Amino acid sequence: MRQAGRYMAAFRQFSDKYPFRMRSETPDIAIELSMQPLHAFRPDGIIFFSDILTPLPGMGVEFDMVKGKGPVISNPVRSTEHLKQLVPLSDPASRLPFISTILSTLRKEADSAGVTLLGFIGTPWTLAAYAMEGKADKDCKETKKIMFHNPALLHSFLDFLTEQLIVYAGYQIESGAQVIQLFDSWAHHLSPAQFAEFSLPYAERITRALKAKYPHVPVILHANGGTGKLELMRDTAADVVGLDWAVDMKDARATLGQGVKVQGNVDPMVLFGPEERIQAEVERCLRAAGPRGHILNVGHGVVQGTPESSVALFCELARQSGALHGKATNGVREAVLA
């Protein structure tokens, strides 16, 4: 999950002063914001400060971040004529030059600190939904009307976005990203059947294209609201499946199979609790996931107002997780020997 955020006092010194796109598209600021969590909490990775909508202007879809409202797209894509006006992202270095500057600088920082640099993109479904709605909407009404009345238009838009996102993710990798995360932030708007038609196949196309060209780069697929859709994700080409906090880790492991690596999935609201409760919930997640193929994480973004001390504790518990599993393994070994 994106690590930098308004829960950090150091972050708010920038967010209270500069608009979002200025922060995310000005290399010096984006680099500073990306590095803040590493300095504060020492996690195992740096996630570069950006947004899933960042590539849209390079395709001809402008957006703004309005305080209190989130992303706003003043000219939503809702017709074939509009779709034809969009521009392929054939040269991301010229349209999004700040991405290369940010990632190449962060890669040097990551190498120096001995951590991993993570890039990310939104899935075609999530970007299409934002671009068709024009804003965040709890019912995803306009996009779903198009889904039911003109599914061919939605599929055409998804196909276009898929090709551009393959290019954009590759640009991130060539700029220094060592892992790519795909965020299907609006997967919760889809039934399992809709997810199987309008989201997963396009996310899989991106994943397979990246694995073919960059086989050394792990891909994480996180579907928000993935509960009820895990069986569909069992055969994903992604290296890791991100789990939101609404699914039981043990059930997810059973559904996906032990061969599928997972990330997650502590409820981020737990971080508002007392230290002993945070420790108990983290330990429960770790034991349910098992000692292999698991990246400990929260099951959604860190919420504004979360105590920074709780985030620090969570990261420390992650560093200690090997010892927890070691104790469990030794206990089993001793029982067998006895």
Side-chain angles (χ1 to χ4, degrees):
M1 317 309 294
R2 190 178 73 223
Q3 296 165 339
R6 287 172 292 176
Y7 67 93
M8 296 184 70
F11 181 93
R12 293 195 298 274
Q13 292 177 9
F14 289 85
S15 62
D16 292 344
K17 191 185 301 184
Y18 305 113
F20 175 81
R21 286 191 62 180
M22 181 179 178
R23 283 179 276 137
S24 63
E25 298 177 16
T26 303
D28 287 349
I29 298 176
I31 291 164
E32 165 64 22
L33 295 176
S34 302
M35 292 296 294
Q36 284 179 351
L38 182 69
H39 295 320
F41 310 120
R42 296 189 300 117
D44 295 321
I46 299 170
I47 303 179
F48 90 117
F49 181 74
S50 187
D51 191 83
I52 58 173
L53 302 187
T54 292
L56 286 181
M59 307 174 204
V61 180
E62 287 294 333
F63 77 95
D64 192 17
M65 285 285 188
V66 178
K67 200 165 186 176
K69 291 185 178 179
V72 174
I73 295 170
S74 58
N75 188 21
V77 180
R78 296 177 184 170
S79 69
T80 301
E81 293 70 28
H82 193 165
L83 182 57
K84 288 178 180 177
Q85 295 171 14
L86 300 185
V87 184
L89 194 61
S90 55
D91 186 14
S94 65
R95 295 189 199 163
L96 306 166
F98 52 90
I99 293 294
S100 179
T101 305
I102 294 166
L103 284 170
S104 60
T105 304
L106 287 174
R107 176 61 183 271
K108 294 173 186 173
E109 296 284 356
D111 289 346
S112 176
V115 299
T116 302
L117 176 59
L118 292 88
F120 66 90
I121 61 173
T123 61
W125 158 253
T126 289
L127 264 62
Y130 266 116
M132 286 179 155
E133 290 299 318
K135 63 183 189 310
D137 182 86
K138 66 182 181 67
D139 298 311
C140 207
K141 189 185 303 179
E142 296 301 326
T143 311
K144 284 212 151 181
K145 281 160 63 176
I146 293 170
M147 178 188 293
F148 297 130
H149 287 275
N150 191 355
L153 172 59
L154 178 53
H155 278 298
S156 294
F157 193 18
L158 291 166
D159 186 67
F160 172 82
L161 288 169
T162 297
E163 293 305 313
Q164 312 327 308
L165 288 167
I166 290 170
V167 173
Y168 180 54
Y171 176 47
Q172 289 189 23
I173 292 168
E174 290 169 12
S175 297
Q178 295 166 284
V179 177
I180 292 291
Q181 300 190 84
L182 275 69
F183 286 110
D184 201 356
S185 305
W186 281 21
H188 64 290
H189 285 294
L190 299 172
S191 69
Q194 292 164 355
F195 180 73
E197 179 178 355
F198 294 100
S199 182
L200 187 58
Y202 297 99
E204 286 295 294
R205 264 175 58 188
I206 294 173
T207 302
R208 292 182 190 282
L210 294 178
K211 298 304 293 182
K213 190 171 183 180
Y214 311 99
H216 61 290
V217 176
V219 175
I220 301 170
L221 174 60
H222 178 90
N224 182 40
T227 306
K229 305 177 179 80
L230 290 178
E231 287 188 2
L232 299 171
M233 300 168 70
R234 184 184 290 149
D235 298 321
T236 179
D239 298 277
V240 180
V241 172
L243 303 172
D244 67 25
W245 58 269
V247 62
D248 181 83
M249 175 61 78
K250 190 174 288 186
D251 291 344
R253 279 298 221 184
T255 302
L256 291 168
Q258 287 298 316
V260 178
K261 299 175 179 67
V262 295
Q263 173 178 268
N265 70 335
V266 176
D267 178 358
M269 296 304 291
V270 165
L271 299 180
F272 284 91
E275 183 174 322
E276 60 271 16
R277 187 58 187 270
I278 296 171
Q279 188 164 348
E281 292 295 328
V282 167
E283 185 171 324
R284 181 166 68 173
C285 178
L286 289 168
R287 291 192 186 283
R292 294 286 181 271
H294 174 224
I295 302 170
L296 177 66
N297 210 330
V298 287
H300 201 56
V302 178
V303 178
Q304 184 177 358
T306 299
E308 293 185 48
S309 58
S310 295
V311 179
L313 172 61
F314 186 90
C315 291
E316 179 56 32
L317 293 171
R319 285 188 287 273
Q320 296 174 7
S321 62
L324 180 141
H325 284 305
K327 286 179 185 177
T329 304
N330 288 338
V332 170
R333 187 180 297 117
E334 288 168 6
V336 171
L337 290 173

